Amino acid sequence: MSTSLKGFFIAALLALTTACAQQPTNTQAQQDAQSTVNESPKIAAVPVDAQIEDAPLTASIPTYADERDPLESINRDLWHFNWEILDKYLLRPLAVGYTSLPQGAQTSVRSFVTNLEEPGYALNSLLQGKLKKTGVATGRFLINSTVGLLGFFDVANHMGLVQHKEDFGQTLAVTANVGDGPFLMLPGYGPTTVRDGVGDFVDGQIFPMYLIDWPWNLVKTGIKAVYTRADLIQQEQMINNSTDSYIFVKEAYFQNVNYKIYDGNPPIKEEFQLDDALLDEID
């Protein structure tokens, strides 16, 4: 060890020894500190031992709230039930079984169910002022119900009468400018909104739907749910791979509704601004 380094350690040791010799006892030091705190005009007279330790700093992180979805916590639980239980053990197996049927049988089942809804499409098209679609839907129902054997065969489509679905939820949005209302995830039914839920109920009261007794109406609804789920088999991996499957399905639902309301040409927003709270969460 060099002479200069030895000298440094000796000086440091002497300074430490001197400080220890001059340090008062613990009791005396506490009394002096107490006296200093109480006598200072700028410091509150709080005993040293009674001072509260500084609380850990916690940042208040704002959470992004979707105004369209005020019941999100409940809806998430219902989505988990629909996707992880009902779909996994009932609906998806039925949909897979449906896809194993011959293509002709699948088409006939779908055509029969949608033919029952054609009068509703015609009425809603009329209410929205879409006269051409009103005529097409009316013609489709008359042709398919007769020549098409109650709709099992879509003869009208081969005649150039292409189906256009118009429901009462769309009618409320187009004619009365009714907003979506709160987003709802219904058990066994899936995503909807208050407006579209009311619309589905009204559509069920239109001829010939109101003539169908509830057991058969339930069968019809179940068949529609099965072939609708079958259409999603090719896309279900997107749901499973999404960061948040609930958000993914909700946004897909709103985009689809908006697409139908504007007949496939929804307006494009010129400027899109993220909510500040959402940006903070991303950061």
Side-chain angles (χ1 to χ4, degrees):
M1 183 180 295
S2 65
T3 305
S4 59
L5 191 57
K6 284 183 179 181
F8 171 79
F9 280 125
I10 293 173
L13 182 61
L14 290 175
L16 181 61
T17 304
T18 304
C20 291
Q22 295 177 353
Q23 183 178 6
T25 62
N26 290 339
T27 302
Q28 183 63 37
Q30 291 180 355
Q31 291 177 352
D32 292 344
Q34 178 66 43
S35 176
T36 302
V37 170
N38 291 339
E39 290 176 1
S40 174
K42 296 183 180 180
I43 302 178
V46 179
V48 173
D49 293 339
Q51 291 181 0
I52 302 176
E53 296 182 357
D54 292 337
L57 296 177
T58 57
S60 178
I61 302 176
T63 56
Y64 173 72
D66 189 347
E67 295 181 353
R68 304 168 302 175
D69 190 8
L71 303 174
E72 181 174 345
S73 59
I74 299 175
N75 286 333
R76 280 185 176 275
D77 291 338
L78 292 174
W79 161 248
H80 175 79
F81 168 76
N82 284 343
W83 186 246
E84 299 295 339
I85 300 176
L86 191 62
D87 182 84
K88 182 177 180 180
Y89 296 106
L90 178 62
L91 192 55
R92 190 182 189 282
L94 290 175
V96 172
Y98 170 82
T99 58
S100 66
L101 296 174
Q103 187 61 45
Q106 296 183 41
T107 303
S108 294
V109 169
R110 186 187 299 256
S111 179
F112 173 76
V113 172
T114 56
N115 186 61
L116 296 173
E117 300 175 340
E118 288 288 358
Y121 301 157
L123 179 58
N124 284 301
S125 295
L126 179 63
L127 293 175
Q128 295 176 43
K130 302 173 182 177
L131 300 182
K132 183 178 179 179
K133 290 184 177 181
T134 301
V136 169
T138 303
R140 283 182 53 82
F141 180 71
L142 294 176
I143 294 172
N144 288 340
S145 297
T146 54
V147 182
L149 302 178
L150 300 179
F152 280 104
F153 299 97
D154 194 350
V155 179
N157 187 63
H158 294 288
M159 298 173 61
L161 299 178
V162 181
Q163 185 180 66
H164 296 280
K165 298 182 179 181
E166 302 286 341
D167 56 55
F168 193 69
Q170 294 171 244
T171 300
L172 290 174
V174 173
T175 62
N177 198 30
V178 176
D180 295 302
F183 177 76
L184 302 173
M185 182 66 69
L186 301 181
Y189 189 88
T192 186
T193 60
V194 171
R195 183 195 64 206
D196 292 341
V198 171
D200 290 344
F201 174 79
V202 173
D203 287 333
Q205 310 306 311
I206 300 174
F207 173 85
M209 298 300 299
Y210 71 87
L211 298 177
I212 304 175
D213 294 334
W214 75 265
W216 292 108
N217 191 31
L218 183 62
V219 172
K220 175 258 180 187
T221 302
I223 293 174
K224 185 176 181 179
V226 169
Y227 70 67
T228 301
R229 178 62 181 88
D231 293 340
L232 296 176
I233 290 179
Q234 301 299 324
Q235 288 80 33
E236 64 183 14
Q237 197 62 34
M238 297 174 62
I239 299 177
N240 293 327
N241 292 339
S242 61
T243 303
D244 189 324
S245 61
Y246 173 77
I247 296 296
F248 180 87
V249 169
K250 178 172 66 173
E251 293 302 329
Y253 173 81
F254 277 114
Q255 289 182 24
N256 182 54
V257 169
N258 202 41
Y259 182 87
K260 292 191 297 183
I261 290 175
Y262 290 97
D263 293 329
N265 295 294
I268 300 176
K269 295 182 180 180
E270 296 182 359
E271 184 177 357
F272 177 74
Q273 294 181 347
L274 290 175
D275 186 86
D276 293 336
L278 178 59
L279 290 174
D280 290 339
E281 283 193 351
I282 295 176
D283 292 339

